[in-house]
C-alpha cells in the first residue's frame, strides 16, 4: 500500500511540474504569434490568400484557448496574484485584438482575405495597437511562471524527501 501511495504522489508531482512547463510553451506561443501575426496580414490581404489555408484563424483560436488554459492552471492562490493580474492584462489586449483580426477575416469574401484597401489597412494597423503589448505581457507572465515552476519544484522536492523518509520509516518499522 505504501508503494502505491508513493507512486501516486510521484505521479502527482510530475503532473504539477508538467503543467507549468506546458504553460511556458503556451505563453511562448502567444508571445511569438502576437509579435508576428499582425505583420502577416498585410501580405495576406495583398495576395488575397485563402483564410483557412493561412492558418491564422487557428493561431488566433489557440492564443485565446492557451490563455484560458494558463489562467485555469494558475488558479486562485493568493501567492500568485501577480500572475493572475498579468493574465487579466493580456486578456484586456487579446479580446480587442481578436475582434480586429475577425474584422479582417469578415472584410473578405468569407473564404479569402480582403483586397488591400484603406479599410483593411486601418484594421491591420488596429492590430498593431495590441500585439506588442500582448507579447510584452506574455513575456512578463512567462518569467513569473518560471518563478512559479521553481516554487513547485522546491515543493515537489520537499514532499518527495518527506515521502522517502516515511517509506523508509514504514519499512524499517515492519
Amino acid at each position: 500500500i505504501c508503494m502505491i501511495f508513493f507512486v501516486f504522489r510521484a505521479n502527482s508531482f510530475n503532473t504539477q511540474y508538467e503543467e507549468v512547463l506546458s504553460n511556458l510553451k503556451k505563453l511562448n506561443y502567444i508571445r511569438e504569434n502576437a509579435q508576428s501575426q499582425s505583420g502577416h496580414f498585410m501580405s495576406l490581404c495583398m495576395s488575397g490568400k485563402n483564410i483557412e489555408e493561412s492558418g491564422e484563424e487557428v493561431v488566433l483560436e489557440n492564443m485565446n484557448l492557451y490563455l484560458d488554459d494558463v489562467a485555469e492552471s494558475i488558479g486562485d492562490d493568493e501567492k500568485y496574484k501577480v500572475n493572475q493580474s498579468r493574465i487579466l492584462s493580456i486578456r484586456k489586449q487579446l479580446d480587442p485584438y481578436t475582434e480586429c483580426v475577425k474584422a479582417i477575416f469578415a472584410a473578405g469574401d468569407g473564404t479569402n482575405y480582403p483586397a488591400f484597401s484603406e479599410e483593411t489597412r486601418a484594421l491591420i494597423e488596429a492590430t498593431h495597437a495590441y500585439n506588442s503589448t500582448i507579447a510584452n505581457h506574455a513575456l512578463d507572465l512567462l518569467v513569473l511562471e518560471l518563478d512559479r515552476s521553481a516554487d513547485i519544484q522546491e515543493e515537489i522536492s520537499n514532499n518527495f524527501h518527506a515521502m522517502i523518509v516515511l517509506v523508509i520509516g514504514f519499512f524499517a518499522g515492519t
Side-chain angles (χ1 to χ4, degrees):
I1 291 176
C2 193
M3 268 318 264
I4 293 171
F5 177 74
F6 182 77
V7 169
F8 175 76
R9 288 297 291 165
N11 186 49
S12 173
F13 296 150
N14 189 44
T15 301
Q16 272 184 299
Y17 198 67
E18 283 178 3
E19 193 172 84
V20 173
L21 293 178
S22 177
N23 284 355
L24 296 175
K25 289 178 187 176
K26 289 174 181 178
L27 289 167
N28 196 49
Y29 180 91
I30 291 168
R31 184 188 63 79
E32 286 179 349
N33 284 290
Q35 286 177 327
S36 66
Q37 191 179 38
S38 65
H40 295 145
F41 292 129
M42 182 83 67
S43 63
L44 292 169
C45 288
M46 291 177 117
S47 67
K49 187 165 179 151
N50 181 284
I51 293 171
E52 188 176 332
E53 289 175 9
S54 74
E56 297 300 331
E57 283 180 307
V58 173
V59 168
L60 186 64
E61 183 179 321
N62 285 342
M63 288 170 70
N64 282 281
L65 290 173
Y66 287 175
L67 186 61
D68 291 341
D69 290 349
V70 172
E72 184 178 323
S73 169
I74 293 171
D76 298 333
D77 189 338
E78 282 293 315
K79 184 175 182 181
Y80 301 111
K81 195 172 194 140
V82 175
N83 300 47
Q84 297 156 358
S85 173
R86 193 60 66 210
I87 288 280
L88 293 175
S89 298
I90 295 169
R91 178 58 64 200
K92 284 181 184 177
Q93 298 296 310
L94 188 57
D95 287 346
Y97 176 81
T98 298
E99 293 307 312
C100 287
V101 173
K102 286 181 178 180
I104 293 170
F105 296 152
D109 62 14
T111 304
N112 298 309
Y113 282 89
F116 189 74
S117 66
E118 282 302 310
E119 178 188 353
T120 54
R121 185 187 61 74
L123 289 170
I124 292 168
E125 284 181 7
T127 66
H128 292 285
Y130 303 107
N131 66 341
S132 64
T133 306
I134 293 168
N136 289 337
H137 288 317
L139 181 59
D140 291 345
L141 184 55
L142 199 134
V143 170
L144 291 168
E145 282 295 279
L146 282 170
D147 291 343
R148 188 168 80 101
S149 75
D151 291 349
I152 289 173
Q153 188 175 21
E154 184 178 333
E155 179 185 334
I156 289 169
S157 179
N158 291 340
N159 287 333
F160 194 75
H161 289 121
M163 255 185 5
I164 289 174
V165 169
L166 285 173
V167 168
I168 291 171
F170 177 77
F171 284 119
T174 56

